[in-house]
Amino acid sequence: VFTQHDVGQSLQRTGDTLVYLRTLVQQVVEGIDARRRASAPLDADAKSALVLRVLRGDELALVAREANVTVAQLESWRAAFLAGAVARLGEQ
């Protein structure tokens, strides 16, 4: 036999569970969307922006992690960026 108090608690738990599940599903969907965006190839402008952050003093590992690339990739882009800059300066 349920009292009104028991039914009210059950409804409250059900409501809390639905809110929790809705929030969880929303976070999963947002995570999937973020992964899709992060896995898209970066163009030269995006790579340059990351390299410039590192050259301005941002931590290499932090920038790589935020961009979802390896530290080795970012180091390679930095080396190419600097080599291109030096080559370009030599042309002038």
Side-chain angles (χ1 to χ4, degrees), residues 44-59:
D45 288 337
K47 291 175 184 178
S48 295
L50 295 172
V51 168
L52 287 171
R53 281 185 58 193
V54 172
L55 293 176
R56 289 183 182 124
D58 287 0
E59 184 183 339

Side-chain angles (χ1 to χ4, degrees), residues 58-80:
D58 287 0
E59 184 183 339
L60 183 77
L62 174 66
V63 174
R65 188 171 44 253
E66 288 176 356
N68 199 28
V69 298
T70 66
V71 170
Q73 284 174 310
L74 187 51
E75 287 175 330
S76 171
W77 298 340
R78 179 178 57 183

